[in-house]
Amino acid sequence: MIVSVQNTIRRLTAPDIRARKGGEPIVSLTSYHAHTALIVDAYCDVILVGDSLGMVMHGLETTIPVTLDMMILQGHAVMRGSKRALVVIDLPFGSYEASKEHAFASAARVLKETGCGAIKLEGGRRMAETIAFLVERGVPVMGHVGLTPQAINALGSFRAQGRDEADWAPIEADARAVADAGAFAVVLEAVAEPLARRMTAQVAIPTIGIGASPACDGQILVLEDMLGLSPRVPKFVKRFGDLGPSIEQAVKNYAAEVRARTFPGTENVYPMRESTITKLPERGKGPSRA
Ligand code: KIV
């Protein structure tokens, strides 16, 4: 029997994450590249290829222009860089809202072309029918409620949700709808802390908080935000690193060395092989003329 070497490390699956409700916190980060995925994979349960890549990688103002092809390309990179974490890929704006059939076609492309384990889509009650349709057809779905950045044009600004108790009911109904529709987990973004805590207690699936509550079943941040690489970050981001200044220093040093011609040094260039160096004939011992 031939055993595939690719199967020696088993990836976490959507049911594994679903089973973590109320258990050990689910550690999640975004990644869009193979090299960061390799690092993140060693410590995280879930890697999200988020549509925030539009802002982080492409300098867009919002996630609206992000396309399915962009998500699939970076999804490939992250799958190549990771071995153990569940990789979840965002369906971008315009790739799933028109109909549940359209959502299935987009989700199927993502799963087939990248080999990832699940998709994420934004929206609560309005997406419940679509989520159920996808789940019934073998697509694991992570929901996303509270602040939904793809709705920026309708919302007008990125603002925390549920800071007045009067606003709680529809947000709670969204999380319940996503859970009842069969999602395996739900992201709660920028939701007032007491509300996020209450929603976590109410729904049967794990909640993954971003600007939500330590009571959530897991947490997620955008990697570049927590590394100190993003120029502007929301209040809920804690900077666990400060890579901006060290990258700037490295680039500054490089530029100075190139200008001074001290880079590349002898250790950074390729000498000729000994055997290929043309030996000049000694005087008087040259080849005789025929
Ligand atoms: O796109 C993204 O990075 C996200 C996270 C903020 C949850 O959806």
Side-chain angles (χ1 to χ4, degrees), residues 30 32 48 50-52 90 120 144 187 189 210 220 222:
T30 63
Y32 321 122
L48 174 69
D51 61 356
S52 53
D90 261 344
K120 176 164 84 58
H144 184 153
V187 168
E189 178 163 355
I210 174 163
I220 186 161
V222 170

Side-chain angles (χ1 to χ4, degrees), residues 3 12 27 41 45 54-55 61 66 71 94 101 104 108 121 129 150 152 163 174 197-198 206 251 256 269 276:
V3 180
L12 292 173
V27 183
D41 190 54
D45 305 304
M55 285 131 120
E61 277 298 308
V66 174
M71 299 308 304
E101 290 79 10
F104 181 77
L121 54 78
E129 204 185 327
Q150 291 177 12
I152 182 63
R163 295 186 72 192
D174 278 343
R197 186 176 287 273
R198 209 169 109 114
V251 172
V269 295
T276 61

Side-chain angles (χ1 to χ4, degrees), residues 37-104:
L38 181 70
I39 298 168
V40 167
D41 190 54
Y43 301 96
C44 289
D45 305 304
V46 174
I47 304 179
L48 174 69
V49 183
D51 61 356
S52 53
L53 67 81
M55 285 131 120
V56 174
M57 292 184 67
H58 300 277
L60 296 168
E61 277 298 308
T62 71
T63 55
I64 302 297
V66 174
T67 66
L68 199 56
D69 287 337
M70 287 160 85
M71 299 308 304
I72 289 173
L73 190 64
Q74 299 327 129
H76 276 303
V78 169
M79 285 299 292
R80 282 189 212 109
S82 61
K83 289 201 282 272
R84 182 193 154 268
L86 171 68
V87 174
V88 180
I89 300 184
D90 261 344
L91 291 189
F93 179 73
S95 71
Y96 64 96
E97 303 88 333
S99 69
K100 44 193 198 297
E101 290 79 10
H102 186 211
F104 181 77

